Amino acid sequence: MTPEKKVAARSLKIVIGALVVLFLLFLSYYTINEGERGVLLRYGKIVKVADPGLGFKIPFIERIEKISTRNQALVYEGVQAYSRDQQPATMKVSVSFHLQPSDIAAVYATYNTIDALKERLIIRQLPTQLENVFGQYTAISAVQDRTRLVQDLQNAIRKAIVGPVIIDSVQIENIDFSDAYEKSIEDRMKAEVAIATRRQNLETEKIQAQIAVTQAQAEADSRLAAAKAEAESIRLKGAAEAEVIRLRGQSIRENPALIELTTAEKWDGKLPQTMLPNATVPFISTTR
C-alpha cells in the first residue's frame, strides 16, 4: 500500500471514529421538561426517576421513558344511567387528574403508560360510580341540585379509585333525558314560575290593600280630630258668650240704674214717630 493510501485510510478511520463518538455522545444524553419525569431503564429495569433538566445514560443499554405530571382531563361521553324514578339519562362526564412525581416509578411499573392507567383505574370506575350516585336522585332533583350531584359523584370516584393518581375534580357537563321527559320538566318549571308570579302578585295586592286601609284610617282619624277640634271651638265660644251674658245680667242686677244709662246712651235725641194706641206716653226703643 502506498503512503498516500495509508494516509487516506488513517484519515477515514479517524473520521469514522469521530462520527461514532459523536453518535454515542448524541445517544448518551437526554432532557426532561418541566411537568414531566423520566424513568431511566437499564435492560428494562427501573434505575431511577429523572427530574427535569439534562441527564446522561449509557447508549444501547439504558433508555428513558417520559411521563407527564401535568394536570390532564379525561372526557367520557355517552354514559348512561337511571334516576331513582327510573328516568334514563345520557351524560357527558369529565375527570381532571394528575400524577404525583413521587409515584412515577409505581405508575410505570404497574401501568407502563398514562393511557393504560386511565383505562384501568378511571374509565372502569366512572360508569359504575355514576350509576350508583345518579340512582340516588330523582330526575328533577338531579337537575335542580346538580351541584350536590357533582360533589357526590366526585367523592364516590375519589373513594373508589385506589392507585397512584390524584383526582382533582369531576364535572357532569351535560345531562340528556328523553325528549318527552324534558318537555314535561319544561312545562313543570313554567307552571312553578307562574305560581310564583301569582303568589308575588297576591302579596303585592295584599300590601297595597294594607296601605289603602292605613291611608283610609289616617284620613278618618284626621277628620275625627278636625271635628273634635271644631266642636271644642264651638263649645268654648258658647261658654264664652254665656259667661258674657251672665256677667252682664249680674251687673244689671247689682246696678239697676245701668238700664237707664244704657237707654240714654242709645237714644239719638229724637222723639219716637210712632205712638201706641190709647197711650199717653211715647214709646222709646232702646235698641238700634
Side-chain angles (χ1 to χ4, degrees):
M1 181 180 295
T2 62
E4 292 81 3
K5 290 183 178 181
K6 289 182 180 180
V7 171
R10 189 180 300 114
S11 299
L12 181 60
K13 290 179 181 179
I14 293 173
V15 171
I16 293 174
L19 291 175
V20 170
V21 171
L22 290 175
F23 180 70
L24 292 176
L25 287 175
F26 178 77
L27 294 178
S28 65
Y29 80 93
Y30 59 86
T31 58
I32 306 297
N33 296 325
E34 288 292 345
E36 293 180 335
R37 291 297 184 272
V39 179
L40 183 63
L41 302 172
R42 181 179 300 159
Y43 297 118
K45 181 181 179 180
I46 297 176
V47 177
K48 69 173 184 176
V49 175
D51 293 328
L54 178 65
F56 295 92
K57 59 184 177 63
I58 302 173
F60 306 111
I61 297 176
E62 295 178 341
R63 61 187 178 90
I64 197 79
E65 292 288 343
K66 297 179 182 181
I67 297 179
S68 175
T69 57
R70 299 182 182 93
N71 184 276
Q72 301 184 55
L74 168 65
V75 180
Y76 201 22
E77 299 189 36
V79 189
Q80 294 184 340
Y82 280 87
S83 63
R84 192 174 65 193
D85 51 350
Q86 298 301 309
Q87 292 296 331
T90 302
M91 286 163 278
K92 178 180 179 181
V93 182
S94 64
V95 180
S96 178
F97 68 94
H98 73 278
L99 306 179
Q100 291 278 36
S102 58
D103 293 333
I104 293 301
V107 169
Y108 184 83
T110 306
Y111 304 100
N112 192 272
T113 65
I114 294 181
D115 289 339
L117 180 144
K118 290 190 294 186
E119 181 67 32
R120 292 170 58 183
L121 282 185
I122 301 176
I123 295 178
R124 286 183 181 180
Q125 287 291 343
L126 186 56
T128 301
Q129 299 307 320
L130 181 60
E131 288 178 3
N132 293 338
V133 173
F134 192 73
Q136 300 173 13
Y137 288 78
T138 63
I140 189 65
S141 66
V143 174
Q144 293 179 339
D145 202 2
R146 187 163 170 173
T147 300
R148 188 164 66 90
L149 170 63
V150 171
Q151 187 64 45
D152 289 346
L153 177 60
Q154 178 174 280
N155 294 337
I157 289 179
R158 284 176 174 173
K159 185 177 180 180
I161 295 178
V162 179
V165 59
I166 304 299
I167 302 299
D168 297 313
S169 65
V170 177
Q171 296 294 329
I172 299 178
E173 299 183 11
N174 190 38
I175 303 176
D176 285 331
F177 293 99
S178 64
D179 293 340
Y181 188 74
E182 288 186 351
K183 181 64 168 58
S184 68
I185 292 178
E186 182 181 355
D187 293 341
R188 178 175 177 176
M189 295 301 292
K190 288 181 178 179
E192 291 180 357
V193 170
I195 292 172
T197 302
R198 179 55 182 163
R199 186 180 294 114
Q200 184 177 3
N201 291 338
L202 290 175
E203 289 295 329
T204 302
E205 293 172 1
K206 181 179 178 181
I207 293 173
Q208 290 175 345
Q210 291 175 347
I211 292 174
V213 170
T214 302
Q215 290 176 342
Q217 185 64 43
E219 185 176 354
D221 292 343
S222 176
R223 290 178 179 177
L224 179 60
K228 288 182 178 180
E230 183 177 0
E232 182 66 14
S233 175
I234 293 173
R235 186 188 67 80
L236 293 175
K237 183 177 179 181
E241 291 177 352
E243 182 65 16
V244 170
I245 293 172
R246 187 186 68 78
L247 293 175
R248 182 174 294 177
Q250 183 180 353
S251 298
I252 292 173
R253 286 194 302 271
E254 294 176 355
N255 301 284
L258 184 60
I259 297 176
E260 297 177 0
L261 177 62
T262 301
T263 301
E265 287 177 349
K266 292 186 176 182
W267 185 45
D268 56 2
K270 298 178 181 180
L271 292 175
Q273 307 242 341
T274 303
M275 296 290 292
L276 294 174
N278 300 322
T280 58
V281 181
F283 174 76
I284 302 174
S285 175
T286 60
T287 61
R288 283 181 163 177

